[in-house]
Amino acid sequence: MRPLDTRTLNGVWSTALLPLREDEGIDFRRLADTLDAVLGSGVHGVYTNGSAGEFHTLGEAEYDRLHDLVAERCTAAGTPFQLGAGHPSGQLSLDRIRRAAPLRPGAIQVVLPDWLPLTEDEALDALRRMAGAADGVPLVLYNPGCAKTQAGPALLARIAAEIPEVVGLKVPSVTVAEGLTDRFAVFVAGHTLASAHRAGAAGSYSNVACMSPAGAARWFAQMTADPAAALALEARIRAFLDAHITPLARAGYCDPALDKTLCAIGGWSGTGTRVRWPHRPVPEDRIPALRAAARRALPELLDDPLGPGTPPHM
């Protein structure tokens, strides 16, 4: 596909969550079904291997098979896609970038090497080498709040000045990139998008899309058509998450478990709640009550349920 740039990289992007079998292998049939549902939802693109995609657990053969599938389905549908090449090892990340580049995604998402925090000069050197490995495919720096090296305003300003291949950022808040929204497409957490969009954010790699890709896409359109209503919906999304998802985080469930829980709440996919060892999933028996609470709180966000009890594509 055509490379993305600061102008064309925007909107709501949906992650490729991993449906897992009992042996923790990826169920690629269910993954293909889920991708088909996402590609018909109206989201602006698909990405792989963020935190929700459990990138740190993938073997290299799984990584290649996942990317072949996503590239094939998205290309056939005419939907932009980004491939995540992150790995805690910088060396393995470079290998992943080199293997992702021939699939010609719109961008390659990268994380800074993760075992030890990097100095600013080390972070810049890492990104320069990653850009060289990407063979002309632009980079997006995936730097959420859980990243060990936090790219603050000073480092982001140096990246803006010195590494033109980086066209986008995933950051905890648009204020981290204040003054740089013309240089970068700044992406934020999905549930903050309406307010962040008013402050210059371009889009989100969206936890809201985990719950409802179509609903998240409708909400993004509302941010232009009726900003006040979009902000009011954001307040209710945040209230729902605070009441029902934050307690699960405090109980120790990891981010991928929470995102898969949101997907199960939405009922649009058969991904399931299982996550890879050593993390634990939110129990399936918690989902019906959470789903009912979401439909009471956010009826216009969620798609119509596809039937009582069992998600589709199982």
Side-chain angles (χ1 to χ4, degrees):
M1 68 169 291
R2 185 173 301 172
L4 293 162
D5 58 30
T6 302
R7 180 183 56 84
T8 57
L9 174 54
N10 58 57
V12 170
W13 286 63
S14 185
T15 190
L17 295 169
L18 303 182
L20 300 176
R21 303 187 303 263
E22 288 187 9
D23 64 1
E24 296 187 5
I26 300 171
D27 186 331
F28 282 94
R29 179 186 64 81
R30 275 195 285 154
L31 178 57
D33 287 345
T34 298
L35 276 173
D36 288 343
V38 167
L39 293 171
S41 70
V43 296
H44 301 84
V46 171
Y47 71 103
T48 66
N49 293 341
S51 298
E54 299 174 89
F55 75 91
H56 57 291
T57 73
L58 287 177
E60 299 310 292
E62 292 175 319
Y63 174 88
D64 292 337
R65 186 175 177 184
L66 169 66
H67 281 184
D68 286 344
L69 175 63
V70 169
E72 176 189 354
R73 292 298 174 106
C74 290
T75 299
T79 299
F81 65 99
Q82 297 175 57
L83 300 179
H87 194 282
S89 162
Q91 287 72 23
L92 292 181
S93 183
L94 288 176
D95 286 342
R96 288 184 170 191
I97 292 168
R98 294 186 187 106
R99 301 204 309 278
L103 298 174
R104 309 318 290 177
I108 295 173
Q109 291 185 3
V110 298
V111 300
L112 294 170
D114 189 62
W115 179 245
L116 298 173
L118 304 182
T119 67
E120 285 193 5
D121 287 340
E122 288 171 333
L124 290 164
D125 182 65
L127 290 171
R128 287 191 190 97
R129 190 171 295 194
M130 290 172 177
D135 190 30
V137 179
L139 300 182
V140 170
L141 174 59
Y142 201 84
N143 193 244
C146 59
K148 195 164 289 181
T149 299
Q150 285 296 307
L155 177 55
L156 292 178
R158 291 188 65 186
I159 295 170
E162 300 179 35
I163 308 179
E165 295 89 347
V166 178
V167 301
L169 308 170
K170 164 64 185 290
V171 290
S173 166
V174 70
T175 58
V176 175
E178 188 172 359
L180 296 173
T181 53
D182 289 335
R183 168 61 178 83
F184 297 118
V186 177
F187 275 53
V188 297
H191 61 284
T192 70
L193 184 54
S195 54
H197 190 252
R198 292 179 60 135
S204 67
Y205 302 120
S206 179
N207 57 345
V208 178
C210 290
M211 188 159 52
S212 173
R218 291 193 299 269
W219 183 37
F220 186 76
Q222 186 185 51
M223 292 172 202
T224 299
D226 191 347
L231 284 170
L233 179 52
E234 178 182 308
R236 286 189 285 119
I237 293 170
R238 289 185 184 231
F240 171 79
L241 296 177
D242 287 345
H244 299 284
I245 304 302
T246 298
L248 296 173
R250 289 176 179 153
Y253 293 104
C254 67
D255 285 351
L258 300 179
D259 286 321
K260 286 184 174 179
T261 296
L262 291 173
C263 182
I265 288 170
W268 62 274
S269 163
T271 295
T273 61
R274 185 177 286 117
V275 291
R276 278 185 159 171
W277 173 89
H279 299 293
R280 59 192 177 118
V282 174
E284 291 273 3
D285 61 10
R286 303 283 295 274
I287 300 303
L290 291 168
R291 183 180 296 150
R295 293 199 178 279
R296 288 192 299 270
L298 308 168
E300 73 275 49
L301 180 69
L302 299 181
D303 300 324
D304 290 335
L306 296 170
T310 303
H313 311 307
M314 293 298 286

